[in-house]
Amino acid sequence: AGSFSMFHRISGHSHVSGKSLISLSETQLRCSRQIHKKIKAEIWPRNPKVDETIAIKFHNLPTSSKVRLETTLTSPNEKLNFLSKCQYTVDSSGTLDLTSTPCNGPSYLGVDPMGIFWSMDPQPGSLTRLYSSGPLHYSMDLFDTEDKKLFSTFMVRNIYDSEVSRVDVRRDGIVGTLFVPSGSGPFPAIVKLDGAARIKEDLAASLASKGFVVLALAYFSFEGLPRDYSHVKVEYFERAIDILQDLDIVVEGGGGCSRVFQGV
Protein backbone atom coordinates (compact mmCIF):
# COMPACT_ATOMS: atom_id res chain seq x y z
CA ALA A 1 0.00 0.00 0.00
CA GLY A 2 1.10 3.58 -0.50
CA SER A 3 1.99 6.10 2.17
CA PHE A 4 -0.63 7.48 4.53
CA SER A 5 -1.06 10.58 2.38
CA MET A 6 -1.89 8.46 -0.67
CA PHE A 7 -5.07 7.10 0.88
CA HIS A 8 -8.38 8.17 -0.57
CA ARG A 9 -10.35 10.22 2.00
CA ILE A 10 -14.03 9.48 2.20
CA SER A 11 -16.26 11.67 4.32
CA GLY A 12 -19.17 9.36 5.25
CA HIS A 13 -21.88 10.30 7.68
CA SER A 14 -21.00 10.60 11.37
CA HIS A 15 -23.72 9.73 13.84
CA VAL A 16 -21.87 10.89 17.01
CA SER A 17 -23.70 13.78 18.65
CA GLY A 18 -21.88 16.19 20.94
CA LYS A 19 -22.97 17.28 24.43
CA SER A 20 -23.58 20.87 25.46
CA LEU A 21 -20.28 22.70 25.95
CA ILE A 22 -21.66 25.66 27.94
CA SER A 23 -20.36 24.62 31.37
CA LEU A 24 -17.15 22.83 30.33
CA SER A 25 -13.65 23.94 31.32
CA GLU A 26 -10.96 24.64 28.70
CA THR A 27 -9.41 21.23 29.34
CA GLN A 28 -12.80 19.56 28.94
CA LEU A 29 -13.47 21.59 25.80
CA ARG A 30 -10.27 20.37 24.18
CA CYS A 31 -11.05 16.80 25.19
CA SER A 32 -14.63 17.05 23.90
CA ARG A 33 -13.50 18.48 20.55
CA GLN A 34 -11.02 15.60 20.19
CA ILE A 35 -13.67 13.00 20.99
CA HIS A 36 -16.21 14.47 18.62
CA LYS A 37 -13.95 15.11 15.66
CA LYS A 38 -15.65 13.93 12.51
CA ILE A 39 -15.12 10.24 11.87
CA LYS A 40 -13.41 9.55 8.54
CA ALA A 41 -12.72 6.51 6.41
CA GLU A 42 -9.69 6.00 4.18
CA ILE A 43 -9.81 3.43 1.38
CA TRP A 44 -7.00 2.47 -0.99
CA PRO A 45 -6.92 1.90 -3.93
CA ARG A 46 -9.40 4.56 -4.92
CA ASN A 47 -11.23 2.46 -7.55
CA PRO A 48 -10.50 -1.15 -6.61
CA LYS A 49 -11.22 -4.19 -8.72
CA VAL A 50 -12.38 -7.45 -7.20
CA ASP A 51 -8.94 -9.04 -7.45
CA GLU A 52 -7.14 -6.21 -5.62
CA THR A 53 -6.37 -6.11 -1.89
CA ILE A 54 -8.00 -3.10 -0.21
CA ALA A 55 -6.66 -1.15 2.78
CA ILE A 56 -9.41 0.37 4.92
CA LYS A 57 -8.96 2.63 7.96
CA PHE A 58 -11.42 4.52 10.13
CA HIS A 59 -10.23 7.54 12.14
CA ASN A 60 -11.48 9.59 15.10
CA LEU A 61 -13.43 6.76 16.69
CA PRO A 62 -13.73 6.60 20.50
CA THR A 63 -10.30 5.43 21.70
CA SER A 64 -9.90 1.80 22.80
CA SER A 65 -13.61 1.17 22.24
CA LYS A 66 -15.26 -1.93 20.84
CA VAL A 67 -17.15 -1.50 17.57
CA ARG A 68 -19.06 -3.63 15.10
CA LEU A 69 -18.63 -3.15 11.35
CA GLU A 70 -21.50 -4.36 9.16
CA THR A 71 -20.70 -4.55 5.44
CA THR A 72 -23.49 -5.08 2.90
CA LEU A 73 -23.02 -6.02 -0.76
CA THR A 74 -25.56 -5.18 -3.46
CA SER A 75 -25.38 -4.94 -7.25
CA PRO A 76 -27.55 -2.86 -9.62
CA ASN A 77 -30.40 -4.83 -11.24
CA GLU A 78 -29.45 -7.98 -9.33
CA LYS A 79 -31.16 -9.65 -6.37
CA LEU A 80 -27.88 -9.63 -4.51
CA ASN A 81 -27.71 -9.01 -0.76
CA PHE A 82 -24.69 -10.27 1.18
CA LEU A 83 -23.71 -9.27 4.72
CA SER A 84 -20.73 -9.60 7.08
CA LYS A 85 -20.65 -8.58 10.76
CA CYS A 86 -17.24 -8.02 12.32
CA GLN A 87 -16.24 -6.89 15.82
CA TYR A 88 -13.01 -4.95 16.45
CA THR A 89 -11.24 -2.99 19.18
CA VAL A 90 -10.23 0.55 18.21
CA ASP A 91 -6.61 1.49 19.06
CA SER A 92 -5.49 4.14 21.57
CA SER A 93 -5.36 6.84 18.86
CA GLY A 94 -8.98 6.26 17.78
CA THR A 95 -8.03 4.39 14.59
CA LEU A 96 -9.44 1.14 13.29
CA ASP A 97 -7.07 -0.28 10.66
CA LEU A 98 -8.45 -3.43 9.03
CA THR A 99 -4.99 -4.36 7.70
CA SER A 100 -3.63 -4.85 11.22
CA THR A 101 -6.56 -5.13 13.66
CA PRO A 102 -7.86 -8.65 14.41
CA CYS A 103 -11.54 -9.37 13.97
CA ASN A 104 -13.22 -11.05 16.94
CA GLY A 105 -16.03 -12.61 14.92
CA PRO A 106 -18.68 -13.49 14.15
CA SER A 107 -18.00 -13.48 10.39
CA TYR A 108 -14.26 -14.27 10.65
CA LEU A 109 -11.42 -14.34 13.16
CA GLY A 110 -7.93 -12.84 13.06
CA VAL A 111 -6.21 -10.25 10.89
CA ASP A 112 -7.24 -10.12 7.23
CA PRO A 113 -7.71 -6.86 5.30
CA MET A 114 -10.17 -8.62 2.98
CA GLY A 115 -12.04 -10.51 5.69
CA ILE A 116 -15.12 -8.29 5.57
CA PHE A 117 -15.58 -9.27 1.91
CA TRP A 118 -14.86 -12.99 1.68
CA SER A 119 -16.74 -13.78 4.92
CA MET A 120 -20.05 -12.39 3.63
CA ASP A 121 -23.14 -14.60 3.70
CA PRO A 122 -26.18 -14.30 1.40
CA GLN A 123 -29.27 -12.96 3.12
CA PRO A 124 -32.80 -14.40 2.68
CA GLY A 125 -34.07 -13.85 -0.86
CA SER A 126 -30.61 -13.10 -2.25
CA LEU A 127 -28.78 -14.84 -5.06
CA THR A 128 -26.10 -17.07 -3.60
CA ARG A 129 -23.46 -16.31 -6.23
CA LEU A 130 -22.39 -13.59 -8.65
CA TYR A 131 -23.57 -13.64 -12.25
CA SER A 132 -23.41 -10.07 -13.49
CA SER A 133 -20.27 -8.22 -14.54
CA GLY A 134 -21.71 -4.99 -13.13
CA PRO A 135 -20.16 -2.98 -10.28
CA LEU A 136 -20.41 -4.25 -6.72
CA HIS A 137 -21.73 -1.74 -4.20
CA TYR A 138 -20.71 -1.99 -0.56
CA SER A 139 -22.14 -0.04 2.36
CA MET A 140 -20.19 -0.02 5.65
CA ASP A 141 -21.84 0.86 8.96
CA LEU A 142 -20.03 1.16 12.30
CA PHE A 143 -21.93 0.56 15.55
CA ASP A 144 -20.94 0.79 19.21
CA THR A 145 -21.69 -1.92 21.78
CA GLU A 146 -25.15 -0.43 22.39
CA ASP A 147 -26.05 -0.71 18.66
CA LYS A 148 -25.78 3.05 18.13
CA LYS A 149 -24.67 3.83 14.60
CA LEU A 150 -21.44 5.83 14.67
CA PHE A 151 -20.61 6.16 11.00
CA SER A 152 -21.65 5.12 7.49
CA THR A 153 -19.79 5.12 4.20
CA PHE A 154 -19.74 3.21 0.92
CA MET A 155 -17.43 2.00 -1.81
CA VAL A 156 -17.62 0.34 -5.25
CA ARG A 157 -15.52 -2.54 -6.56
CA ASN A 158 -15.43 -3.13 -10.31
CA ILE A 159 -15.08 -6.56 -11.89
CA TYR A 160 -13.32 -5.28 -15.01
CA ASP A 161 -11.49 -2.21 -16.33
CA SER A 162 -13.49 0.53 -18.00
CA GLU A 163 -11.35 -0.01 -21.13
CA VAL A 164 -12.75 -3.52 -21.60
CA SER A 165 -15.59 -3.76 -24.13
CA ARG A 166 -18.72 -5.81 -23.44
CA VAL A 167 -20.78 -7.04 -26.43
CA ASP A 168 -23.94 -9.17 -26.47
CA VAL A 169 -23.53 -12.00 -29.00
CA ARG A 170 -26.53 -13.34 -30.92
CA ARG A 171 -25.05 -14.76 -34.13
CA ASP A 172 -25.38 -18.04 -36.06
CA GLY A 173 -27.46 -19.46 -33.21
CA ILE A 174 -24.77 -18.61 -30.65
CA VAL A 175 -25.85 -16.86 -27.43
CA GLY A 176 -23.32 -15.24 -25.14
CA THR A 177 -21.47 -12.16 -23.97
CA LEU A 178 -18.10 -11.17 -25.42
CA PHE A 179 -15.47 -9.26 -23.43
CA VAL A 180 -12.60 -7.67 -25.34
CA PRO A 181 -9.51 -6.02 -23.78
CA SER A 182 -8.36 -2.60 -24.87
CA GLY A 183 -5.66 -2.47 -27.53
CA SER A 184 -5.15 -3.91 -31.00
CA GLY A 185 -4.09 -7.41 -29.92
CA PRO A 186 -3.86 -10.11 -31.00
CA PHE A 187 -5.06 -11.66 -27.74
CA PRO A 188 -5.50 -15.27 -26.62
CA ALA A 189 -9.14 -16.37 -26.58
CA ILE A 190 -11.21 -18.27 -24.02
CA VAL A 191 -14.70 -19.74 -24.20
CA LYS A 192 -16.19 -19.53 -20.70
CA LEU A 193 -18.81 -22.17 -19.87
CA ASP A 194 -20.96 -22.46 -16.79
CA GLY A 195 -23.65 -24.89 -15.71
CA ALA A 196 -26.13 -22.13 -14.80
CA ALA A 197 -29.35 -21.33 -16.65
CA ARG A 198 -28.10 -17.80 -17.30
CA ILE A 199 -24.91 -16.22 -18.60
CA LYS A 200 -22.36 -15.90 -15.80
CA GLU A 201 -20.24 -12.90 -16.72
CA ASP A 202 -18.13 -12.05 -13.67
CA LEU A 203 -15.13 -14.34 -14.30
CA ALA A 204 -15.19 -13.70 -18.05
CA ALA A 205 -15.04 -9.95 -17.47
CA SER A 206 -12.21 -10.31 -14.97
CA LEU A 207 -10.18 -12.44 -17.40
CA ALA A 208 -10.63 -9.80 -20.11
CA SER A 209 -8.99 -7.29 -17.77
CA LYS A 210 -5.95 -9.60 -17.81
CA GLY A 211 -5.63 -9.52 -21.61
CA PHE A 212 -7.92 -12.32 -22.85
CA VAL A 213 -10.77 -12.15 -25.34
CA VAL A 214 -13.50 -14.08 -23.51
CA LEU A 215 -16.84 -15.39 -24.73
CA ALA A 216 -19.16 -16.22 -21.83
CA LEU A 217 -21.29 -18.80 -23.60
CA ALA A 218 -24.87 -19.84 -22.87
CA TYR A 219 -25.78 -23.28 -24.15
CA PHE A 220 -29.22 -24.02 -22.71
CA SER A 221 -32.34 -22.32 -21.27
CA PHE A 222 -32.17 -19.40 -23.72
CA GLU A 223 -34.39 -18.72 -26.72
CA GLY A 224 -33.27 -20.91 -29.60
CA LEU A 225 -31.26 -23.22 -27.32
CA PRO A 226 -32.17 -26.58 -25.72
CA ARG A 227 -34.13 -26.47 -22.46
CA ASP A 228 -31.38 -28.37 -20.64
CA TYR A 229 -27.72 -29.19 -21.29
CA SER A 230 -28.34 -32.90 -22.00
CA HIS A 231 -29.55 -31.99 -25.50
CA VAL A 232 -26.71 -29.66 -26.49
CA LYS A 233 -24.74 -30.77 -29.57
CA VAL A 234 -20.97 -30.44 -29.84
CA GLU A 235 -21.36 -28.50 -33.08
CA TYR A 236 -22.73 -25.59 -31.05
CA PHE A 237 -19.41 -25.20 -29.23
CA GLU A 238 -17.49 -25.56 -32.48
CA ARG A 239 -19.45 -22.62 -33.96
CA ALA A 240 -18.67 -20.53 -30.88
CA ILE A 241 -14.95 -21.23 -31.30
CA ASP A 242 -15.18 -20.34 -35.00
CA ILE A 243 -16.74 -16.97 -34.12
CA LEU A 244 -13.83 -16.21 -31.82
CA GLN A 245 -11.24 -17.33 -34.36
CA ASP A 246 -12.79 -15.06 -37.01
CA LEU A 247 -11.99 -11.99 -34.92
CA ASP A 248 -8.90 -10.08 -36.09
CA ILE A 249 -7.89 -9.37 -32.48
CA VAL A 250 -7.64 -13.06 -31.56
CA VAL A 251 -4.38 -15.03 -31.80
CA GLU A 252 -4.64 -17.35 -34.80
CA GLY A 253 -4.91 -21.07 -34.18
CA GLY A 254 -5.17 -21.02 -30.41
CA GLY A 255 -7.78 -20.81 -27.68
CA GLY A 256 -8.84 -22.20 -24.35
CA CYS A 257 -11.94 -23.26 -22.47
CA SER A 258 -12.92 -22.49 -18.88
CA ARG A 259 -15.67 -24.61 -17.37
CA VAL A 260 -17.30 -24.51 -13.93
CA PHE A 261 -18.92 -27.83 -13.04
CA GLN A 262 -22.03 -28.05 -10.90
CA GLY A 263 -22.37 -30.82 -8.35
CA VAL A 264 -25.56 -32.87 -8.19
Side-chain angles (χ1 to χ4, degrees), residues 183-213:
S184 57
F187 303 105
I190 295 175
V191 176
K192 172 69 177 66
L193 305 176
D194 196 275
R198 58 178 293 186
I199 300 173
K200 194 171 184 302
E201 297 184 358
D202 56 318
L203 180 57
S206 183
L207 287 170
S209 292
K210 305 301 182 184
F212 295 89
V213 174

Side-chain angles (χ1 to χ4, degrees), residues 62-227:
T63 59
S64 304
S65 62
K66 296 185 183 300
V67 295
R68 183 180 78 255
L69 175 61
E70 294 191 1
T71 307
T72 304
L73 164 64
T74 58
S75 185
N77 303 317
E78 290 284 333
K79 293 180 63 176
L80 197 66
N81 182 18
F82 279 59
L83 175 68
S84 66
K85 296 183 179 182
C86 303
Q87 298 175 351
Y88 304 94
T89 300
V90 179
D91 70 16
S92 58
S93 69
T95 297
L96 172 59
D97 183 351
L98 301 192
T99 68
S100 59
T101 304
C103 174
N104 299 313
S107 288
Y108 77 98
L109 295 171
V111 177
D112 190 327
M114 301 299 290
I116 63 172
F117 302 111
W118 60 254
S119 66
M120 286 184 156
D121 288 319
Q123 300 305 291
S126 171
L127 293 171
T128 58
R129 58 188 297 195
L130 293 178
Y131 290 93
S132 170
S133 58
L136 304 177
H137 293 223
Y138 296 86
S139 62
M140 290 176 278
D141 301 306
L142 277 170
F143 299 85
D144 64 14
T145 55
E146 297 180 350
D147 287 333
K148 178 181 179 180
K149 186 180 288 188
L150 302 174
F151 179 77
S152 297
T153 191
F154 69 93
M155 63 170 291
V156 177
R157 298 169 77 195
N158 292 301
I159 293 179
Y160 63 97
D161 294 324
S162 58
E163 293 82 9
V164 171
S165 300
R166 179 192 177 280
V167 181
D168 290 323
V169 176
R170 303 292 188 273
R171 172 184 163 189
D172 297 333
I174 300 299
V175 178
T177 306
L178 182 69
F179 292 91
V180 180
S182 61
S184 57
F187 303 105
I190 295 175
V191 176
K192 172 69 177 66
L193 305 176
D194 196 275
R198 58 178 293 186
I199 300 173
K200 194 171 184 302
E201 297 184 358
D202 56 318
L203 180 57
S206 183
L207 287 170
S209 292
K210 305 301 182 184
F212 295 89
V213 174
V214 187
L215 175 60
L217 185 66
Y219 51 98
F220 69 97
S221 289
F222 277 78
E223 184 177 354
L225 298 180
R227 295 183 60 182

Side-chain angles (χ1 to χ4, degrees), residues 186-192 207 211-215 237-238 240-247 249-258:
F187 303 105
I190 295 175
V191 176
K192 172 69 177 66
L207 287 170
F212 295 89
V213 174
V214 187
L215 175 60
F237 303 105
E238 292 175 346
I241 293 172
D242 289 340
I243 287 176
L244 279 180
Q245 289 296 310
D246 286 343
L247 299 175
I249 56 172
V250 169
V251 174
E252 185 177 355
C257 178
S258 172

Side-chain angles (χ1 to χ4, degrees), residues 13 19 109:
H13 304 288
K19 298 180 180 178
L109 295 171

